[in-house]
Amino acid sequence: MTQVVATTTGLYPLPDWAKDELANLKGHQRSDLIDGSEGEAIVSTYEAAREDVIEAQQSAGLDRIVEGQLRWDDMLAHPLSVHDAVETRGIVRYYDNNNFYREPVVEDELTFDGDIGAELDAAAAFVDDGLQAVLPGPYSLADLATDEFYGDEAAFLDAIGDFLAEEAGAFPEVETLFLLEPSLVTEPPADGGEHASEAIDTVASAIDADVVVQTYWGALEEKVYAYLLDADIDAVGHDLVTDHEGAITNVNEYGTTDDVALGLVDGQNTLVETPAEIRERIEWFLAETTNDFETVYATPNTELLYLPDNKFEAKLDALAAATTEAIDQ
């Protein structure tokens, strides 16, 4: 029997009420919070919004609960955007969509920060078990940033990996860690992915939790995928929404981990999948591959910040409803 675990990739949309409340705070921009200029009313709004999205996950019946990353205005670039050694500059397009982030430029040594650990500590107060951490993968974070300190692409990637590892090592107890690595697909490493795999391994080795590397916006190139399997991770995530055939080819041709994560729900489309459709996609993947997976993490394919609040909650409900029973392979 294959255990099916319903979870998400994090980076949630702000609840509608929180958007309205923050808009009413004169002169407020969401980036105020991460620039350290927030007032008590803004802080309390974000704290209440965190409780809201945690409750939404629990009410839906998800097996893993994320903090929500509501403060991550710069999306996956956030861990650098809030760091003292980093200057945020101009607005840059976030991958190939209509979202934008502030370019993080690393100007000094990346030392321990603790920002994300503090978010998880706050979330842990409301989650008895099944807490899940979310981080950008080191390759994607390096890809989204600009280096003006380390002076070498390889050294910069190593520094990003070491930085994320130190952050992850200070997390409270979590069940799983999702490392989000879309850049492995959109900007494949020039060396085929060996160095990226080593950086991922550095982060994964720093935490006592199941580590899932979620890739999306397509399927990995064959060499990148093969190198990724060398990292000490528990599951590779495949975006079945964007390229299900490419995912099947990689798994069947090059093998995979004992567990797998499947991007089954479209994180950028307001059309809400039914539980039956989600279940069918899981069963199709298991039928098309030769592996006997111990665990399938059923997830949206991307972050969920692109969705309206009501569609976001509906997709949580559908995902949880689709994964209430194990699957007999």
Side-chain angles (χ1 to χ4, degrees):
M1 300 290 284
T2 298
Q3 179 188 17
V4 183
V5 173
T7 186
T8 64
T9 49
L11 282 86
Y12 289 171
L14 266 173
D16 290 337
W17 67 264
K19 291 178 187 175
D20 295 339
E21 197 165 308
L22 291 170
N24 290 331
L25 295 170
K26 186 178 180 180
H28 168 67
Q29 295 180 350
R30 287 189 65 192
S31 58
D32 292 343
L33 184 67
I34 61 176
D35 287 336
S37 56
E38 72 278 7
E40 184 177 339
I42 295 173
V43 172
S44 63
T45 299
Y46 276 96
E47 288 176 346
R50 178 192 292 120
E51 293 181 40
D52 199 9
V53 297
I54 288 174
E55 182 179 349
Q57 295 171 81
Q58 292 170 329
S59 296
L62 294 181
D63 299 301
R64 299 286 185 272
I65 307 297
V66 301
E67 184 270 338
Q69 296 76 46
L70 301 176
R71 294 173 58 234
W72 292 29
D73 281 359
D74 297 299
M75 292 157 285
L76 292 185
H78 172 85
L80 291 183
S81 298
V82 298
H83 199 284
D84 289 341
V86 176
E87 178 187 359
T88 52
R89 296 183 186 169
I91 301 301
V92 184
R93 184 179 293 276
Y94 183 70
Y95 295 101
D96 188 20
N97 58 42
N98 292 324
N99 288 78
F100 298 85
Y101 69 103
R102 299 173 303 165
E103 179 189 17
V105 181
V106 178
E107 299 182 320
D108 205 342
E109 183 180 3
L110 290 173
T111 56
F112 176 74
D113 182 73
D115 179 81
I116 299 169
E119 290 181 335
L120 285 167
D121 284 335
F126 304 97
V127 182
D128 292 331
D129 54 50
L131 183 63
Q132 176 176 299
V134 174
L135 280 175
Y139 180 76
S140 294
L141 186 54
D143 179 52
L144 293 170
T146 297
D147 170 40
E148 290 189 357
F149 178 74
Y150 293 95
D152 175 83
E153 284 188 12
F156 186 48
L157 180 54
D158 286 338
I160 294 288
D162 291 340
F163 163 66
L164 290 174
E166 193 169 5
E167 298 299 305
F171 287 172
E173 183 177 350
V174 297
E175 193 84 14
T176 49
L177 167 63
F178 264 57
L179 294 176
L180 307 186
E181 281 283 18
S183 288
L184 286 177
V185 173
T186 63
E187 297 289 338
D191 69 348
E194 182 177 12
H195 196 185
S197 178
E198 292 170 353
I200 289 168
D201 189 76
T202 296
V203 182
S205 300
I207 189 168
D208 184 17
D210 292 333
V211 178
V212 179
V213 175
Q214 184 81 6
T215 64
Y216 46 100
W217 290 322
L220 291 170
E221 291 184 356
E222 296 170 355
K223 195 171 184 180
V224 177
Y225 179 74
Y227 272 126
L228 180 57
L229 294 180
D230 290 338
D232 186 18
I233 57 177
D234 297 279
V236 173
H238 302 273
D239 179 357
L240 299 192
V241 174
T242 306
D243 188 356
H244 56 282
E245 293 293 348
I248 292 294
T249 297
N250 278 338
V251 171
N252 285 341
E253 291 289 334
Y254 302 101
T256 190
T257 45
D258 290 338
D259 301 332
V260 68
L262 301 179
L264 305 159
V265 170
D266 194 333
Q268 299 181 94
N269 192 314
T270 56
L271 180 66
V272 178
E273 298 85 352
T274 67
E277 288 172 332
I278 297 169
R279 187 78 174 184
E280 287 171 5
R281 291 171 186 177
I282 299 172
E283 293 173 344
W284 173 85
F285 180 86
L286 295 179
E288 292 293 319
T289 53
T290 58
N291 299 73
D292 291 326
F293 294 102
E294 296 178 6
T295 301
V296 170
Y297 294 93
T299 77
N301 66 324
T302 69
E303 311 104 325
L304 293 171
L305 59 93
Y306 312 97
L307 298 174
D309 192 31
N310 63 331
K311 298 296 186 179
F312 154 71
E313 293 194 358
K315 292 207 177 210
L316 296 188
D317 291 340
L319 191 60
T323 58
T324 55
E325 298 178 2
I327 294 177
D328 187 8
Q329 284 186 265

